[in-house]
Amino acid sequence: MNLDNIPRVSLTHLPTPLDEAPRLAAKLGLRRLLIKRDDCTTLAGGGNKARKLEYLMADALAKDCDVVLTDGGPQSNHARMTAGAARKVGIDRCMLFLGGPRFDRFYGNLLLDVVMGAEIRFMEDATVKQMEDAMADEAAALKRRGSRPYVIPIGGSTPLGALGYVQGMRELAGQLCDEDKAPLIVVAAGSAGTFAGCALGARLFLPGAEVLGISVAAKSKTLREIAAADANGSASLIGVDTRFDADDLNVNDEYYGERYGVPSEAGNRAILMAAQTEALILDPVYTGKAMSGLIGLAQAGQVDVDRTVVFIHTGGAPGLMAFEDQFRNLAKFQTVEPRGR
Ligand SMILES: Cc1ncc(COP(=O)(O)O)c(C=O)c1O
């Protein structure tokens, strides 16, 4: 295996912490719940994309690129972290193609994009295909003008990006004691590169583990097919002779609610439970829904309560700041007149 020979640039401090969550575990009836704190990667507000971007940015540097392009929704954590990664490796231009609902305020991730000086191309309600076509057109135009663009597909979910989580599983294996070495690993699955990397990494470094993706966007079959292709591509890159079929992978698609990006009631309840037991800050688009999956499955008796569970906290807190409307009615708030006024 040549994982260590693939060029990688350091964008954060690793390993991320692995925290006990005893109060949340007790609520769910689990013997042991550990939280892999990938929300604590130090790049531009943190999150899972730091691991992927370590490989993707090394590739951009090797190709001497001078502008990075990527896409996502207006509250994309991936876009925000790509803007940060480009700055950190000294690539001064980052263009973000953001498709989704019209917005009238620059808040949450968008505000961080702005302060990092990213160039935003807003495409109202565009599909991923339309955004990726627009990026390809822009990249071609940039090349004609003598620039060297580096295009990162949505979520950074390519075989190269997914290596971040192959390496992440090796890191996790080193943190688990012997009695925890066959955990259930629960992770949000959006563009599925994180899940793909976890599946391959677990097969290589934690062979007793089971990886469960909780879909935040698409049907299980679609995500399993995408993830199998990414995991197989990653395995080839590191010279490992193993293959995944979609049927080898486990993705639950019962917790994404109405659709991607729209908060779910169960996700919001999960956010409150995690915040009020462990001070864990989740978000309505990814980690809240993933946690609602773990909670729902545990409450339905579908999780082996004696098996250690590792929840990968993939970040997203800046996105929570764009969803004030979901929680403001819970504020324990009153106005107090200052004495002597
Ligand atoms: C906070 C957070 N969690 C999870 C994910 C899902 O990762 P992936 O797109 O690799 O499935 C994302 C993707 O943007 C994210 O921002």
Side-chain angles (χ1 to χ4, degrees):
M1 181 190 333
N2 57 11
L3 181 56
D4 291 330
N5 299 334
I6 309 283
R8 180 175 160 208
V9 61
S10 172
L11 294 175
T12 183
H13 297 283
L14 297 173
T16 56
L18 184 66
D19 283 352
E20 292 278 355
R23 283 160 295 276
L24 187 50
K27 286 254 182 213
L28 304 187
L30 302 175
R31 182 183 59 82
R32 192 156 197 217
L33 173 61
L34 300 170
I35 313 288
K36 181 65 173 152
R37 298 295 306 269
D38 279 11
D39 58 319
C40 296
T41 55
T42 49
L43 175 68
N48 57 334
K49 306 299 175 179
R51 291 187 189 273
K52 294 179 177 182
L53 287 161
E54 290 200 326
Y55 288 97
L56 295 167
M57 286 297 154
D59 191 38
L61 290 176
K63 293 177 172 143
D64 196 25
C65 293
D66 57 5
V67 46
V68 176
L69 296 81
T70 198
D71 58 336
Q75 284 301 329
S76 169
N77 299 294
H78 162 70
R80 178 247 310 161
M81 297 192 76
T82 301
R87 286 292 182 202
K88 212 162 156 53
V89 301
I91 296 178
D92 281 340
R93 285 190 79 187
C94 179
M95 299 176 70
L96 304 177
F97 290 73
L98 305 182
R102 179 171 288 278
F103 52 87
D104 54 11
R105 289 171 54 212
F106 286 89
Y107 53 4
N109 280 301
L110 262 177
L111 182 60
L112 301 181
D113 299 341
V114 169
V115 297
M116 288 187 285
E119 299 170 37
I120 297 168
R121 302 276 188 273
F122 177 58
M123 300 177 67
E124 189 171 354
D125 293 331
T127 62
V128 173
K129 164 101 178 54
Q130 288 170 325
M131 289 188 284
E132 301 209 333
D133 286 348
M135 280 201 297
D137 291 347
E138 182 67 47
L142 284 162
K143 273 188 195 157
R144 284 194 297 277
R145 293 198 294 271
S147 264
R148 296 174 303 283
Y150 189 80
V151 176
I152 300 179
I154 197 154
S157 286
T158 63
L160 184 64
L163 288 183
Y165 273 87
V166 176
Q167 145 45 45
M169 289 300 102
R170 179 165 67 180
E171 180 182 303
L172 176 65
Q175 291 173 307
L176 291 170
C177 61
D178 283 347
E179 65 163 17
D180 293 325
K181 280 242 167 27
L184 171 67
I185 298 170
V186 179
V187 63
S191 58
T194 303
F195 171 68
C198 288
L200 175 58
R203 188 179 276 186
L204 297 175
F205 303 112
L206 284 166
E210 183 190 338
V211 181
L212 170 62
I214 306 288
S215 171
V216 300
K219 290 289 170 204
S220 169
K221 184 166 181 290
T222 310
L223 283 189
R224 286 184 289 112
E225 284 168 359
I226 295 171
D230 271 349
N232 289 334
S234 302
S236 303
L237 283 175
I238 57 173
V240 162
D241 187 20
T242 189
R243 275 200 68 76
F244 287 86
D245 290 325
D247 289 343
D248 298 330
L249 299 170
N250 190 3
V251 175
N252 181 302
D253 59 11
E254 288 161 11
Y255 292 92
Y256 65 77
E258 191 184 321
R259 64 186 156 86
Y260 171 76
V262 177
S264 67
E265 259 182 57
N268 287 356
R269 280 199 303 274
I271 289 173
L272 296 174
M273 192 189 281
Q276 295 177 15
T277 51
E278 301 287 348
L280 277 180
I281 306 302
L282 307 180
D283 76 288
V285 178
Y286 295 99
T287 49
K289 287 183 178 176
M291 184 59 85
S292 78
L294 174 58
I295 294 170
L297 294 169
Q299 287 173 344
Q302 289 173 35
V303 175
D304 174 357
V305 293
D306 291 322
R307 188 176 195 178
T308 298
V309 175
V310 178
F311 181 83
I312 314 279
H313 189 337
T314 46
L320 176 64
M321 306 308 162
F323 284 98
E324 187 229 21
D325 60 322
Q326 299 292 310
F327 300 100
R328 60 171 300 142
N329 64 325
L330 301 177
K332 296 171 190 156
F333 173 85
Q334 61 186 135
T335 307
V336 177
E337 270 301 304
R339 200 192 283 199
R341 177 174 278 177

